[in-house]
Amino acid sequence: ASRTVNVVMPPNATVPGADGYSPLVKYAFGASGPDAAVIPPVTSTSGGNVLYTAIIRTNDPTLVVIGEYGNNLQDWLPLPLNPTCVPSVDQSGVPAGTQRRVFTLPGGDPALFLRLSITTPY
């Protein structure tokens, strides 16, 4: 005898709510539930680079969040140095099971776009 179990994401998992975040994005940003608020990411600059600081869920090994860049909105490449949480990044105020991570987009010409790619097998 065999049994197959398929786990599928709810149909609205990627549809943004009134706050602009989909349930999947909220989950990746550490929300405790679909109606919970998230700490919004912050964009800043340093030395000509663009820094995107976000709180990312780290207690789910099936969830993968990577920074990607491109010079158009179709062709994406992983950031040269995939961000890691280093001791110098302030971790105060982050929810349990998450880390504050800084994604760095090199400055210069041509202008580049930055996005976070969130994947999960669900």
Side-chain angles (χ1 to χ4, degrees):
S2 67
R3 181 172 90 169
T4 302
V5 176
N6 292 317
V7 178
V8 295
M9 190 177 293
N12 65 349
T14 58
V15 176
D19 60 3
Y21 298 110
S22 72
L24 177 60
V25 170
K26 284 180 145 187
Y27 179 74
F29 285 172
S32 59
D35 296 325
V38 296
I39 299 171
V42 176
T43 304
S44 59
T45 58
S46 177
N49 297 325
V50 175
L51 308 178
Y52 190 75
T53 304
I55 294 176
I56 304 297
R57 180 174 300 281
T58 56
N59 64 352
D60 181 345
T62 67
L63 182 74
V64 178
V65 180
I66 62 168
E68 296 178 324
Y69 74 98
N71 61 4
N72 60 54
L73 297 176
Q74 297 175 355
D75 302 314
W76 297 98
L77 298 168
L79 284 172
L81 296 175
N82 200 19
T84 58
C85 185
V86 294
S88 63
V89 177
D90 179 14
Q91 297 298 320
S92 60
V94 300
T98 67
Q99 290 180 338
R100 182 173 285 117
R101 294 191 178 172
V102 179
F103 299 83
T104 303
L105 180 65
D109 285 327
L112 298 173
F113 298 96
L114 168 70
R115 76 174 183 180
L116 295 185
S117 173
I118 303 168
T119 57
T120 182
Y122 302 120

